[in-house]
Structure formats: structure tokens, C-alpha cells
Amino acid sequence: MRSFLGRDILSLKDFSRDEFNRVFQVCDDLKPYARDRRNGDLLKDKTLLTAFYQPSTRTRLSTEAAMHRLGGHVLGFSDAKMTRAGDFYQESIKDTFHMLEYYGDVIAIRHFQQGAPAEAARWASVPVINCGDGWGEHPTQVLTDLYTIRTELGTLDGLTYLLVGDMRMRTMHSILYALSQFDAEALVVGPPDMSLLPEFKAELDAVNVRYREIESVADGIAQADVIYMEPVVQADYTKGRVERDAVLPTTPEAYRVTRELLAAKAKSSSIILHSLPRMDELPSDVDETRHQRYWVEAFNGVVLRMALLSLVLGAVE
Ligand code: CP
């Protein structure tokens, strides 16, 4: 297994099964800090820099919370318009990250352009963590999701994953890459204009990911152990910021998971994950059902990022 020390976390395409398991072991070790609301000193001599060119609630704040929990320091920006990258100068990724590497020991970046974190990593000698790049990937979210499944169901193998929503989404790319390392079948359902792209399917085929496209949630929910959701009423992820239209479309029934559908068709043991924010595809009365795990997932987001920061900064092997 490759060392995590100094490593950029850009994609789950190149993660081995052993590497997933190592990250999850470190999560188990560090979880007590978050569970007991304790702060430690594992990263007391380290500084995290967050460079967020797109809005975020969970990813930025859970990464910052993780650093605080381990006694580290945090600085950064959450609105590129207030930096030279977002004003008159439109400063390049190259020039920006050439400087940012002197301000922090690890950089967490979210950007509206696919590939921007990889470009940043070319120009920064400190580890760069991709916190979402356009439609590209969202590795820390999907590591959080997989850790949640592993803790809730005890395994990532032998499971059927029902993936629901916009298949252009970065989470869908990262989870399908990750499933190449596990004994898993994915049932994929989303609107035709948001389906898996041919080039992405070719990549999945090249690593033997088992997936099948189906037409509606109702066609696959009975087989699912994990119901993994994203909205289909969606912002354009290639934009820095998208204002909301006055009138929003509603989600067709084929891409919704409701309390009634769960009662009628779902396995009693199935769990629902949603990276959030949600729209009307997941009504809030599902929160009271035994299937809901998205709030555990939110807690695990801090745990996972504690583990990842500790690994890339060399605080744990
Ligand atoms: N899940 C997720 O990426 O949420 P944020 O956009 O709030 O970070």
C-alpha cells in the first residue's frame, strides 16, 4: 500500500481496497474525539488552508472542524470574489497555489472547474485535497459515505447499491469508481438527460464495476441494501455560484424516495444516504424512519476528514 504522507487526495479512481480500509481504521481510532466533543493535539503544529471557489456548508466546515478537533490551525477563503482569483485580475490557479503553499501545510480546495484541484496540486508542494471539482469528483464525501455504510452495515461487500439522481454529479463518479474495489452491484436511476456519460461508462467497464441502469426507484428499491441519493433539481456545478429560480421544477416520482415507497417495497434493513443539501426527492418525513442515515453521515464527515488530514500530514502512518 502506498503511504498517505504528503499525498494529494484528488480522486477515488486510484484508491486500492487496502487504502480504503486504512482510512476507515484511522476513522475508528479518531472517532472518540468527535463523539466526545474533545479537542486533541495530534495536528497542533499544522495549518489547514481552505480555498473554496464554490459554496459549501458541510465540506468546508467539517474539514475545518476536523482540523480544530485535532488542535491544528485553519485559514482560508470561502468566496473567491474577495480574492484576486475572483476580481479584476482573475489570478490563475498556478499563481494562486504557488503562494498558498507557503501559508498552510495542507490545502483543501473546492472549484467549479473539473480538474482544478489536480492543477493546483501541480503547483503546491503540500498535499491538496479535492473537496469537489465541477462535475468531476468528490472524494472526501464518498469516503464519508463508504465509512458510514461500513459502520452501519458492517461491510462494503455483498451489497446492492441503488444510486438515484443526477448521474453527472461528482459524488456519483467517485462512488462508482470506489465500487470497483468491492463486491458490489449498482442499480443506477436518473433522468435520461442526466444519465452516465459514455466515456465514464467505458472507464467503469475497464475496471469491472457491476452496474445496471434502471428506469425508476420503484424498479430497484426492493433489492437495495444502500439507497444513495442526489437531487435531480440541481444547480449547474460548472458555475461558481447559481442563484435559485423563482419557480423550481419538482422531482418526478421515478427519482423520489418516500416514506410510503419505503414501507411498501424496501428491505427492512436498507439504509439511505444523501450527501445533502436535498430538494423534494427525499421528503423530510423519511427522517423519522429506520432507513435514515444521512445525519450519521454528517457526523462521520468530521471523523473522515480528521483521518484524512492525519494521514496526509503524517500524524499517523
Ligand atoms: N455534501 C456536500 O458537498 O455539501 P456542501 O456542498 O454543503 O459542502
Side-chain angles (χ1 to χ4, degrees):
M1 183 171 67
R2 289 173 301 165
S3 169
F4 279 97
L5 174 61
R7 186 158 146 191
D8 302 313
I9 306 294
L10 301 174
S11 166
L12 295 187
K13 209 186 301 191
D14 59 354
F15 255 63
S16 70
R17 190 177 165 93
D18 284 348
E19 289 168 341
F20 282 111
N21 286 330
R22 179 61 191 139
V23 173
F24 302 149
Q25 270 172 359
V26 178
C27 288
D28 288 342
D29 294 343
L30 298 182
K31 189 182 261 182
Y33 286 108
R35 188 192 57 215
D36 303 340
R37 297 183 176 278
R38 268 194 292 125
N39 290 357
D41 61 3
L42 199 61
L43 297 179
K44 69 178 168 40
D45 299 323
K46 301 293 183 187
T47 298
L48 163 71
L49 194 144
T50 49
F52 273 56
Y53 293 77
Q54 237 183 3
S56 165
T57 303
R58 283 145 285 269
T59 312
R60 183 174 66 84
L61 294 174
S62 64
T63 307
E64 295 187 358
M67 196 65 181
H68 285 298
R69 277 275 174 252
L70 297 178
H73 309 273
V74 176
L75 76 165
F77 60 86
S78 56
D79 182 355
K81 282 202 176 71
M82 299 308 290
T83 74
R84 296 306 194 188
D87 80 344
F88 171 84
Y89 296 96
Q90 298 288 304
E91 197 165 19
S92 66
I93 293 275
K94 175 183 175 182
D95 287 4
T96 302
F97 282 78
H98 249 328
M99 285 177 318
L100 295 186
E101 71 161 326
Y102 303 122
Y103 306 163
D105 303 302
V106 56
I107 302 174
I109 172 178
R110 169 169 286 189
H111 205 285
F112 48 88
Q113 279 172 3
Q114 188 168 342
E119 171 70 2
R122 283 184 65 202
W123 304 109
S125 60
V126 299
V128 171
I129 299 178
N130 178 2
C131 289
D133 62 326
W135 294 115
E137 278 206 64
H138 198 346
T140 66
Q141 175 64 49
V142 169
L143 286 166
T144 300
D145 302 331
L146 296 176
Y147 179 62
T148 304
I149 297 164
R150 181 179 175 272
T151 51
E152 296 296 311
L153 299 183
T155 181
L156 292 167
D157 291 310
L159 301 179
T160 299
Y161 296 73
L162 176 63
L163 308 185
V164 185
D166 184 342
M167 292 302 139
R168 302 167 304 169
M169 266 302 282
R170 48 203 183 194
T171 46
M172 293 300 180
H173 295 153
S174 290
I175 196 164
L176 282 161
Y177 285 137
L179 292 185
S180 71
Q181 300 300 304
F182 300 99
D183 166 23
E185 178 173 33
L187 304 175
V188 173
V189 54
D193 59 337
M194 298 180 183
S195 59
L196 298 171
L197 295 173
E199 55 271 27
F200 181 61
K201 285 188 190 178
E203 282 192 76
L204 298 181
D205 293 341
V207 286
N208 291 358
V209 175
R210 289 166 59 216
Y211 67 93
R212 197 153 45 87
E213 292 172 291
I214 59 174
E215 288 192 359
S216 81
V217 167
D219 292 342
I221 199 165
Q223 298 155 66
D225 300 295
V226 177
I227 302 164
Y228 186 86
M229 301 189 67
E230 282 287 353
V232 299
V233 177
Q234 190 69 284
D236 180 349
Y237 276 76
T238 64
K239 300 276 191 321
R241 187 181 170 82
V242 182
E243 295 305 325
R244 185 176 174 145
D245 291 337
V247 181
L248 288 174
T250 54
T251 301
E253 278 310 307
Y255 317 118
R256 298 182 79 222
V257 173
T258 62
R259 199 171 51 77
E260 294 75 15
L261 184 61
L262 288 162
K265 290 201 157 185
K267 282 189 191 179
S268 179
S269 57
S270 63
I271 62 172
I272 303 173
L273 301 186
H274 194 306
S275 64
L276 304 173
R278 64 176 147 187
M279 301 296 277
D280 62 336
E281 72 284 356
L282 182 62
S284 62
D285 63 0
V286 176
D287 298 8
E288 317 323 324
T289 71
R290 66 181 167 281
H291 304 280
Q292 176 279 112
R293 292 297 190 285
Y294 27 96
W295 303 123
V296 184
E297 196 183 353
F299 166 77
N300 283 337
V302 178
V303 176
L304 180 281
R305 289 166 179 114
M306 283 167 49
L308 219 47
L309 289 166
S310 301
L311 282 161
V312 301
L313 289 169
V316 295
E317 280 288 312

